[in-house]
Amino acid sequence: MSLVGKYQIVKNEGILEHLIAQGVPAERAAKFVEGSNIIEITINGDDITIVRGDGHNHNYTHNKETIKTTPDGNVIKNFSMLNGTSLTVESSNSQGKWKKIYKLSDSGSELTVTLKSETTSIADGTRIYKKI
């Protein structure tokens, strides 16, 4: 079993609040929550691509740092670790650090994505997807 596949959102738990607490403007955070209801994960060797339904691509390389510049000029450094049925992406920019943890269920039918902040006062956000 692997993370490879296409997934549709089933439930958001605290995602909007998490993003806003992390400093994402409310309008942009709401667009993210509304616009990324399907994701597709592909893995080719050490290269990992996550394509959101709103057209945004995230490209990572296992055990290597990648750098992405957002359209608004924000530079984000990502370090990814692929371990069987889970992917952890540690990210940082000038405003702070955070993690995204992608974890496939034992049955392989459900993907949980947890957003964690380095700031302990910020509650985690979770998205739950079903494989389609």
Side-chain angles (χ1 to χ4, degrees):
M1 216 176 340
S2 87
L3 290 169
V4 172
K6 199 170 196 175
Y7 302 89
Q8 183 171 18
I9 193 77
V10 174
K11 180 171 33 170
N12 283 305
E13 296 174 348
I15 290 291
L16 183 63
E17 296 82 358
H18 175 86
L19 293 171
I20 292 171
Q22 277 287 102
V24 176
E27 185 177 315
R28 193 163 128 205
K31 271 186 171 179
F32 170 80
V33 171
E34 294 169 11
S36 57
N37 293 327
I38 293 179
I39 62 172
E40 185 170 6
I41 301 173
T42 57
I43 300 172
N44 184 8
D46 285 342
D47 296 325
I48 306 147
T49 302
I50 300 174
V51 178
R52 295 189 339 217
D54 59 6
H56 286 86
N57 291 0
H58 298 279
N59 299 303
Y60 307 109
T61 302
H62 172 60
N63 276 335
K64 289 192 180 174
E65 183 178 81
T66 56
I67 297 174
K68 180 176 184 171
T69 303
T70 63
D72 60 0
N74 189 12
V75 176
I76 300 173
K77 295 180 181 180
N78 297 299
F79 185 84
S80 63
M81 296 158 286
L82 185 60
N83 184 10
T85 59
S86 69
L87 169 68
T88 300
V89 180
E90 297 177 350
S91 302
S92 65
N93 65 11
S94 61
Q95 298 171 335
K97 296 180 181 180
W98 63 96
K99 285 184 187 179
K100 275 188 189 176
I101 302 166
Y102 298 79
K103 178 75 175 133
L104 192 61
S105 66
D106 290 341
S107 68
S109 63
E110 189 174 273
L111 178 72
T112 301
V113 181
T114 304
L115 280 63
K116 296 181 163 285
S117 173
E118 74 169 354
T119 306
T120 57
S121 62
I122 297 176
D124 294 349
T126 304
R127 300 191 95 187
I128 300 171
Y129 296 85
K130 68 177 179 177
K131 197 164 197 170
I132 53 175

